Amino acid sequence: MGTRGIEWLFRAGLFLLPIVSGMGTLVSIGGLAPIRPFAVALVLVALLLPLRIPSPESMWVLVLALFWAGWGFLRPPISEGLTELVSVGLGLAALWALMLRPVAFRDLRALVLGWVFAWAVSVIPGVYEILTGHHLPNYLEGSPDWVRAASVDIASFFVNPNLFAYFVVVGMVMLVVAAAQATTRLSRGMLLTAALTTPVFAHFSGSRITLAVSLLVSMWIVWSWWPHLRRALGVAVVSAIAVGSLGVLYSQSLQAFLESESQGSATGRLGLYKDGVWMIDQTLGLGVGAGGFEPTLASGVAPFDTGGAINPHSGVFEIASQYGVIVAALVFGLVAGVAVVGWRGFRPDFGDHRTRVLRQSVFVLAVMLPIQSFANSTFLDSPIAWVHVATLGMLYAATKDSAGPDALPPSARFDARLDRRRRLRRQLAGASTGAPLS
């Protein structure tokens, strides 16, 4: 097979990556979620293609992978820990391979279109659940029948509502990236409209963290695409905060609701996080070892009450408590560095609108990563989390290659329209100050 055939395979893999990551609850290959062998195949195909000189970022990922794996095997891991290390290794290997390859527009388009397809496929069962109240047969598989019967949260085909919510909110950001690449007003409007419906699915999933993230992403969409609405957006946000504050102060029903929440799952989660800090302290920052969080809590030695929960419910505490503060610092240092690069896209003079949206999406996905890690019971074993990481890595690599001849062709009509608006605003401003018009 020639280079073109390998490129076609690579782009097909990028297109399928999002949907395959969500299929682990439906099918398995040799007892493994399909994303595991799929990630191996994608890495091998990527390494067959021409690579660039390793960038500092890809070298950081490589050093992180080697250090993480070495640290994980320093203490002989239990079977759950070994599975977790395999998940981490495959995720970082895929990220490293995607960041090595120069990102052509066709590569990015394949991944973006894959996310559009995966988002659409995943929300269709969600719409069915909302309209009928019925769930798919695999809903909350493994839970007691009474839990399945009592739960109303939608989960699509993901089994777990939190994973469904996580997936569609990452897809929400990718719909915005797709809109920036669209060349017609109709397709752009459809993509942005679809993105702005995502908070509805997050709400019906019951994931409050993801709902909050989706609302913040919606604010970013309005801020980025409709600048004339920024003042109205600011007024709406301030009004919502004021009304919410008054509700907390004067609404007895709202106070009762918040009190019941603080005595329920919130208290259990707080106990989990305190136990995570306790593990870090007890091991002098070295961590309890791969997969060690749940056995430590199950043994009963952890001092804080978690209401019976033993899952970390936070990628931040999951990494730091198991692998120590050094690995955690490397991980979140990398995420912070990527976020800083993405933040530059919020400068009004940074390139055309398409390039700014791409940079902004890097920032949004990077900031979402640690926050979304609190939305599900586990993070490191989740294929959804790792496809989030891989997507972020490829978008970041695309920002580094955006000046290349085959990188990211602009949507000429949209950018030209924006340029005309900017020129008109400058002329009007000049007229109001008495300056000569250009």
Side-chain angles (χ1 to χ4, degrees), residues 139-177:
Y139 181 72
L140 292 178
E141 196 170 52
S143 299
D145 290 339
W146 68 270
V147 173
R148 299 177 66 189
S151 178
V152 297
D153 299 332
I154 66 173
S156 185
F157 53 79
F158 289 82
V159 175
N160 188 317
N162 290 329
L163 288 178
F164 167 64
Y166 191 148
F167 187 83
V168 294
V169 172
V170 176
M172 178 185 187
V173 178
M174 298 307 292
L175 288 172
V176 179
V177 177

Side-chain angles (χ1 to χ4, degrees), residues 173-212:
V173 178
M174 298 307 292
L175 288 172
V176 179
V177 177
Q181 297 180 11
T183 56
T184 66
R185 181 180 296 179
L186 177 61
S187 58
R188 188 178 305 115
M190 291 176 62
L191 289 164
L192 291 175
T193 301
L196 290 171
T197 64
T198 303
V200 176
F201 300 105
H203 167 71
F204 281 101
S205 75
S207 176
R208 288 162 292 188
I209 292 176
T210 306
L211 174 60

